[in-house]
Amino acid sequence: MNLNDLSSLMERRQDGGLSFERFRADPVLAGLQWPDDVLRDFLFEHGDHSPFVDDYGHLDLSAITWTLETIPTADFYTMPTGESEAGLIEHFAQHPVYWVTVRPPGVGRHWEEHGTWLRPPLLIDRRLLNLGSSGLQVLEGRTRVGVLRGRLREQLHAAPEHQTWVGRS
């Protein structure tokens, strides 16, 4: 199963008649066994976003297992995102305080108190994208990773490690 196989589900979601609860209960998704956070951020929110589909539409979704992992801050310094949105992380990194202030107030408080994001972003093992690749790539959460990079550059409080959802085969 890949993103194109979910086109009718995405159309129903676009029409506004499909809440996340009804979306995740759809029989076509039953075999995925993904955490709700991943289903929401990957499929419900971005499953039909054109650049996202360009970068990840070929993935066999049923071959991905998601685990909550703690990743060192240093790993995020140069971690890429998909080719279709290359440069987006650095765009957010240029103004980290701004990108936090346009979010709900709890997001900014969490950054100040804990030096990390409130909700874990999604990273993917690059070997799923290209067998010759290695390392992790930001699948969803480019703003969060950009804010982290910007906070580091501006010497604002940042934790030494961060929780993320990581997709691996």
Side-chain angles (χ1 to χ4, degrees):
M1 171 191 341
N2 63 35
L3 290 176
N4 291 326
D5 296 330
L6 302 176
S7 59
S8 66
L9 182 59
M10 292 300 163
E11 286 174 17
R12 285 186 281 140
R13 189 221 10 107
Q14 285 175 357
D15 293 339
L18 201 58
S19 66
F20 174 69
E21 288 72 28
R22 291 184 60 210
F23 178 87
R24 77 172 176 204
D26 192 283
V28 75
L29 299 177
L32 287 183
Q33 306 284 318
W34 286 8
D36 281 353
D37 287 347
V38 175
L39 270 176
R40 183 182 302 103
D41 287 352
F42 189 159
L43 300 180
F44 186 73
E45 296 290 334
H46 294 93
D48 58 354
H49 179 61
S50 295
F52 201 78
V53 173
D54 290 345
D55 292 338
Y56 307 110
H58 68 284
L59 288 176
D60 178 1
L61 303 177
S62 59
I64 304 172
T65 300
W66 294 93
T67 55
L68 196 57
E69 298 183 19
T70 302
I71 306 294
T73 295
D75 289 5
F76 291 98
Y77 289 153
T78 59
M79 190 180 292
T81 191
E83 286 183 29
S84 297
E85 296 191 323
L88 194 56
I89 292 173
E90 279 308 310
H91 168 76
F92 295 124
Q94 291 174 356
H95 305 287
V97 173
Y98 168 78
W99 290 108
V100 168
T101 61
V102 297
R103 301 292 190 254
V107 171
R109 278 194 303 275
H110 199 80
W111 274 107
E112 291 305 316
E113 293 172 13
H114 303 283
T116 192
W117 34 72
L118 189 57
R119 289 181 33 247
L122 310 182
L123 309 180
I124 194 158
D125 185 331
R126 297 182 77 209
R127 289 175 290 194
L128 286 167
L129 305 169
N130 179 344
L131 289 175
S133 294
S134 64
L136 298 172
Q137 177 167 311
V138 180
L139 180 98
E140 200 287 317
R142 294 169 298 276
T143 304
R144 286 167 268 180
V145 173
V147 166
L148 174 61
R149 286 186 192 173
R151 289 180 70 85
L152 292 166
R153 195 167 29 241
E154 293 182 12
Q155 298 181 344
L156 299 171
H157 176 52
E161 50 192 24
H162 308 272
Q163 290 246 302
T164 64
W165 285 106
V166 179
R168 301 184 192 279
S169 60

